Amino acid sequence: MSETMRQYIDEAESVLLHTYNRYPIVLKRGEGVYLYDLDDKKYLDFVSGIGVFALGYHNREYNDALKAQIDAITHTSNYYYNVPAIEAAKKLTRVSGMDRVFFTNSGAESVEGAIKAARKYAFLKDGNTDHEIIAMHHSFHGRTMGALSVTGNPKYREAFEPGIGQIRFAQLNDFDSVLSCVTDKTCAILLETVQGEGGLYPAEEDFLRKIRALCDERDLLMILDEVQCGMGRTGTLFAWQRYGIKPDLMTLAKGIGCGVPVGAFLMTERVAEKSLAAGDHGTTYGGNPLACAAVAKVLELFERDNIVGHVREISGYLEEKLDALVSEFDFIRLRRGVGLMQGLVFDRPVAPVIEEALKRGLILINAGPDILRFLPPLIIQKEHVDEMMGILRESIAAGKGAL
Ligand SMILES: *Cc1c(COP(=O)(O)O)cnc(C)c1O
């Protein structure tokens, strides 16, 4: 490592709040599916900024659209209309079949908004303020107080209790456990269509259909968090689209901006009519023309280049290669995931493999201590999968002592 990079890392550790154990590289630029650090060392990226850079780095058309928007205007406040927000919302509603969009600046904020919409919907029905939300164990919805309160991982919540309250946790894919959480105060059921941080657990079709039916029967709101699994990652634009159901509310972020901080929550007209009204919710930056120009461009490129079709094709190849590893190494228990959101479940911690991979120019991440997670840019080709597999094999061999 160069002296310059070493120095930056030391400085970072003296001025940035230490809320992350960071890997010892300073990233400078990206090109396609590759990243470069300050020393110009090249890395194949199978994390894409945690499911963000769907279109890869340095996409010319995306960059040009943002540059043009910077020269026009980047912020207006929500008291006025701006064209990129209108264009982005038109595209998002068309591709999702949802009716109304509220733009946010992150995934956690999208979840906050969905929780507020659900509470207001229930409040308008009976005037009560003690409504409950059912969320899932092992879920992850973000780090702000509301999003944290519905995150089913006590480790993240413990020091920050009390949360917003009135939250009950059920077991993913166990409909009886959901039923046992339902009371006459329940107003919404919230889940990730595919759990990301919690370990790449897809919600099963039958489970989703039963939740949909339960919500219809009792007028509860079904909220699907698609912050990580949305935007094409699983081989449909939104993961729920493969199951023939539709949520009442959906949260987005990560991939929809491809590098610009932006999120959104979407709802059907039925919910919009009877929930958040003027004055109920707001944000200074949310829906700004710069972020929305990014969303509009991303959706345009997704459609033109059939990114979702490409994910369906290439993910079969990735699955095949990962499955081969599962048969090869007895300490790799199984592969789990959908599309380009995959995990290899080890019977031991994966940290040594990630460290060895980084040394060899491959960026990987975990999901919990013993799951190796793969969230590559959606534009990867077979040759990138092959390159990744080569480095991964070497990294497993090198990390074996520590494994
Ligand atoms: C990352 C994530 C969030 C939080 O998004 P931030 O932009 O980090 O606030 C929420 N839900 C899911 C499913 C996520 O993966």
Side-chain angles (χ1 to χ4, degrees):
M1 183 189 305
S2 67
E3 194 45 44
T4 312
M5 192 145 90
R6 176 80 268 157
Q7 218 166 347
Y8 271 119
I9 291 172
D10 290 345
E11 282 171 358
E13 289 307 325
S14 71
V15 292
L16 294 175
L17 190 65
H18 192 98
T19 49
Y20 284 91
N21 289 320
R22 292 180 164 88
Y23 293 101
I25 56 173
V26 182
L27 292 168
K28 182 171 68 174
R29 65 186 177 90
E31 188 67 53
V33 299
Y34 295 96
L35 285 166
Y36 295 83
D37 69 14
L38 282 186
D39 300 344
D40 265 325
K41 179 173 163 183
K42 186 178 178 183
Y43 301 86
L44 174 62
D45 179 21
F46 262 64
V47 179
S48 54
I50 317 193
V52 166
F53 270 90
L55 297 170
Y57 302 94
H58 199 196
N59 179 296
R60 180 79 57 189
E61 288 167 275
Y62 169 89
N63 287 3
D64 286 346
L66 288 192
K67 286 174 191 169
Q69 191 58 50
I70 286 171
D71 287 337
I73 191 166
T74 58
H75 178 77
T76 60
S77 110
N78 281 306
Y79 283 105
Y80 315 98
Y81 302 99
N82 76 73
V83 173
I86 299 162
E87 293 298 337
K90 272 185 358 195
K91 287 195 163 81
L92 270 178
T93 51
R94 181 168 52 76
V95 295
S96 65
M98 307 295 279
D99 302 307
R100 300 263 171 186
V101 185
F102 184 102
F103 287 109
T104 68
N105 308 285
S106 67
E109 264 183 84
S110 303
V111 172
E112 298 286 338
I115 292 172
K116 279 182 73 175
R119 281 189 166 182
K120 181 75 191 291
Y121 181 87
F123 173 78
L124 287 178
K125 275 199 296 188
D126 63 12
N128 291 335
T129 55
D130 57 354
H131 298 104
E132 295 169 353
I133 293 172
I134 300 173
M136 301 298 141
H137 289 297
H138 308 297
S139 62
F140 181 83
H141 298 291
R143 304 295 199 141
T144 54
M145 282 310 301
L148 189 61
S149 302
V150 289
T151 288
N153 186 336
K155 193 184 75 189
Y156 290 156
R157 292 199 314 268
E158 192 185 7
F160 309 102
E161 298 285 1
I164 63 167
Q166 308 294 90
I167 310 296
R168 287 166 181 260
F169 288 100
Q171 206 67 49
L172 183 75
N173 294 330
D174 178 352
F175 186 66
D176 286 339
S177 87
V178 174
L179 274 184
S180 69
C181 290
V182 175
T183 73
D184 52 9
K185 294 176 181 173
T186 308
C187 71
I189 302 175
L190 162 69
L191 67 153
E192 296 155 89
T193 321
V194 182
Q195 285 189 343
E197 309 297 315
L200 292 311
Y201 286 99
E204 287 161 10
E205 175 161 359
D206 183 56
F207 182 70
L208 288 169
R209 284 180 181 276
K210 283 179 171 155
I211 288 182
R212 181 65 273 175
L214 174 68
C215 288
D216 289 340
E217 190 188 303
R218 303 189 60 124
D219 195 21
L220 314 178
L221 298 182
M222 180 176 190
I223 309 172
L224 291 180
D225 183 344
E226 293 254 340
V227 169
Q228 189 164 148
C229 63
M231 282 311 280
R233 184 147 294 276
T234 67
T236 48
L237 193 57
F238 305 110
W240 52 265
Q241 286 173 327
R242 80 169 58 218
Y243 301 119
I245 52 126
K246 187 171 139 184
D248 302 298
L249 283 146
M250 159 167 76
T251 57
L252 294 174
K254 294 198 165 105
I256 69 166
C258 279
V260 165
V262 55
F265 62 97
L266 288 80
M267 59 183 82
T268 61
E269 193 63 35
R270 185 176 70 86
V271 180
E273 275 168 4
K274 297 182 199 153
S275 62
L276 301 176
D280 278 339
H281 197 53
T283 157
T284 299
Y285 268 131
N288 69 78
L290 180 66
C292 289
V295 175
K297 197 65 185 181
V298 167
L299 284 165
E300 179 195 321
L301 296 178
F302 257 69
E303 222 158 3
R304 190 197 67 192
D305 299 343
N306 188 17
I307 297 292
V308 169
H310 174 70
V311 170
R312 271 201 295 272
E313 247 178 66
I314 194 74
S315 59
Y317 189 69
L318 175 64
E319 286 179 1
E320 193 185 298
K321 298 288 165 182
L322 294 178
D323 285 341
L325 275 189
V326 175
S327 347
E328 200 172 316
F329 296 103
D330 52 8
F331 50 85
I332 304 179
R333 288 178 37 223
L334 54 97
R335 174 187 64 77
R336 187 165 58 223
V338 190
L340 291 181
M341 188 174 176
Q342 295 286 342
L344 281 181
V345 183
F346 281 53
D347 69 0
R348 59 197 74 186
V350 295
V353 178
I354 296 175
E355 282 158 30
E356 290 297 335
L358 194 68
K359 285 186 207 159
R360 290 167 174 74
L362 169 65
I363 295 189
L364 288 173
I365 199 173
N366 61 312
D370 55 3
I371 302 175
L372 203 53
R373 182 164 38 150
F374 303 82
L375 292 173
L378 305 185
I379 56 164
I380 53 157
Q381 302 290 339
K382 281 185 176 176
E383 73 210 54
H384 303 123
V385 174
D386 292 340
E387 186 184 349
M388 183 279 290
M389 289 302 297
I391 305 178
L392 181 55
R393 274 208 166 74
E394 286 173 28
S395 308
I396 289 172
K400 223 167 182 171
L403 285 172

